Amino acid sequence: MSVENEHRLNFRDSMASLSAAVNIITTDGPAGKCGLTATAVCSVTDTPPTLMVCINRNSATNPVFQENGHLCVNILNHEQELMARHFAGMTNISMEERFNWNIWQTGTLGQPILEETLANLEGHIKQIQEVGTHYVYLVEVKQIRVREEGHGLIYFKRDFHAVMDKQMAATV
């Protein structure tokens, strides 16, 4: 194995130890409706509220996100692992079927909003950069819904895990 490949594999293994919130990123518009599961999501600034979303350049969803120009970051709760698996392509559920379930609303910006999530953040894609194997989307958030109840869902060591809110867990 080349040093470069070993370095890349070591990097990927180390990133498996970086726990991250699980999100379903959705879009709807002239190019159609689609979504995917992503953990490479983080805040950039709160003035204006801006997120960074990273999507592999090989993903068939990129042209749809880019043409639509809007998206929604749906931050999943601990009971939504199966949805994360569907949108990660780990099941045989088609994109059309994923959006046919009665668990979706349409947000203010016309984006698909998944019900029962911890939060939904709709925004405009302001900038797209190519960095290595990924597109980095900078998204200015225009509409936010936050749910007070619920525990988190993270991806850690290449698997999904629930993260319990201490205060909420103590009242159960």
Side-chain angles (χ1 to χ4, degrees):
M1 176 184 305
S2 72
V3 172
E4 183 178 305
N5 278 344
E6 183 178 352
H7 187 64
R8 184 177 58 81
L9 291 175
N10 285 339
F11 179 77
R12 290 178 66 133
D13 286 344
S14 68
M15 290 298 98
S17 296
L18 181 64
S19 55
V22 181
N23 309 276
I24 293 177
I25 314 302
T26 56
T27 188
D28 195 5
K33 186 184 294 187
C34 73
L36 58 86
T37 299
T39 55
V41 175
C42 71
S43 65
V44 176
T45 180
D46 65 357
T47 310
T50 303
L51 294 172
M52 178 181 71
V53 177
C54 301
I55 301 175
N56 191 297
R57 287 183 21 209
N58 291 329
S59 173
T61 63
N62 281 304
V64 182
F65 281 107
Q66 292 172 14
E67 185 176 336
N68 287 347
H70 297 84
L71 59 76
C72 182
V73 174
N74 298 279
I75 303 173
L76 302 188
N77 75 48
H78 72 292
E79 296 177 328
Q80 294 176 310
E81 179 182 335
L82 184 56
M83 287 301 290
R85 290 182 181 280
H86 292 324
F87 277 86
M90 299 171 140
T91 65
N92 291 323
I93 304 297
S94 71
M95 190 68 71
E96 185 178 338
E97 287 177 278
R98 297 171 198 174
F99 285 106
N100 280 339
W101 294 314
N102 192 24
I103 53 175
W104 295 97
Q105 296 179 4
T106 301
T108 305
L109 300 179
Q111 300 311 294
I113 292 180
L114 181 59
E115 295 176 352
E116 303 298 316
T117 59
L118 297 178
N120 313 94
L121 300 103
E122 278 186 285
H124 301 291
I125 299 170
K126 289 296 194 179
Q127 187 177 355
I128 304 168
Q129 294 184 359
E130 290 184 32
V131 179
T133 58
H134 283 66
Y135 286 113
V136 177
Y137 293 82
L138 295 180
V139 179
E140 188 173 329
V141 177
K142 297 294 186 180
Q143 188 68 31
I144 301 169
R145 290 185 184 183
V146 179
R147 203 169 142 237
E148 296 300 319
E149 314 82 49
H151 302 289
L153 181 66
I154 64 167
Y155 199 70
F156 174 71
K157 295 287 186 179
R158 296 182 174 92
D159 202 3
F160 296 97
H161 302 273
V163 176
M164 298 296 151
D165 179 293
K166 288 181 184 180
Q167 290 179 336
M168 289 177 60
T171 62
V172 176

